[in-house]
Amino acid sequence: MAYWLFKSETSTWSWDQQVARGDAGEEWDGVRNYQARNFMREMKLGDRGFFYLSQKDRKIVGIVEVCAEAHSDSTTDDDRWDCVDIKAVRSFVTPVTLDQIKADERLTDMVLVKNSRLSVQPVSDCEWRIVCEMGQTNPD
DNA sequence: GCCAACGTTGGC
DNA sequence: GCCAACGTTGGC
């Protein structure tokens, strides 16, 4: 199983909204970046991801699961853009801030640190476990 | 609210 | 196919 990171903003799509969707999940639409799209095309059912809030919040607040593999983005007729569906798995006991991540020597290679603008990113197994531990949250 | 970094577009 | 111009993102 692979791990990922999905970026959102509270004002656009909040963690509360994601949780409220329950197991039905939600289409991760609106991504208009080839790199991010390509990562979504690689995703498999059951893959897990962090739910990160950019801008004001700048922290990881929850864990999500891919509940539909890549399909066309319903918000556009342009067939270049695909997206997956994700559902909330659990909230972080303690959210992990970008500051904490940047301050941790083990996480200096995280895409979030190296390429902060990429809205869908891969996360290594190692990074996954470290961040979950920092958030006192079950990684499985 | 500023601006650096990055991605995309389009003229040549 | 290069690269200047432009638009967007997101940390600060």
Side-chain angles (χ1 to χ4, degrees):
Chain A
M1 176 180 41
Y3 297 107
W4 311 93
L5 181 146
F6 296 87
K7 205 183 308 185
S8 188
E9 282 173 55
T10 294
S11 59
T12 307
W13 182 252
S14 71
W15 177 240
D16 284 348
Q17 284 175 291
Q18 183 68 53
V19 169
R21 296 289 294 145
D23 287 343
E26 182 74 12
E27 194 175 273
W28 202 253
D29 53 39
V31 172
R32 300 291 182 266
N33 172 282
Y34 293 109
Q35 258 188 295
R37 182 208 61 189
N38 291 344
F39 286 132
M40 287 200 282
R41 286 181 173 174
E42 288 177 30
M43 293 179 189
K44 301 290 181 202
L45 267 183
D47 278 2
R48 295 287 172 100
F50 289 135
F51 192 97
Y52 173 80
L53 293 170
S54 63
Q55 307 279 85
K56 279 199 75 173
D57 297 296
R58 271 173 279 132
K59 58 192 177 187
I60 291 170
V61 294
I63 291 176
V64 295
E65 179 177 317
V66 175
C67 59
E69 294 183 5
H71 55 82
S72 61
D73 183 331
S74 70
T75 63
T76 177
D77 290 333
D78 191 331
D79 59 15
R80 287 178 300 171
W81 306 117
D82 292 341
C83 65
V84 296
D85 290 6
I86 61 173
K87 64 178 184 183
V89 173
R90 70 176 67 90
S91 298
F92 262 53
V93 175
T94 311
V96 175
T97 66
L98 180 61
D99 285 347
Q100 282 177 273
I101 290 167
K102 285 188 154 179
D104 196 306
E105 286 183 356
R106 298 169 297 175
L107 300 175
T108 51
D109 285 336
M110 267 190 87
V111 181
L112 193 63
V113 176
K114 292 197 146 178
N115 182 4
S116 59
R117 292 187 47 191
L118 188 58
S119 62
V120 176
Q121 323 175 346
V123 171
S124 75
D125 291 14
C126 197
E127 291 160 353
W128 182 267
R129 273 183 272 107
I130 292 167
V131 173
C132 287
E133 194 178 325
M134 289 167 76
Q136 295 160 305
T137 297
N138 177 4
D140 300 318

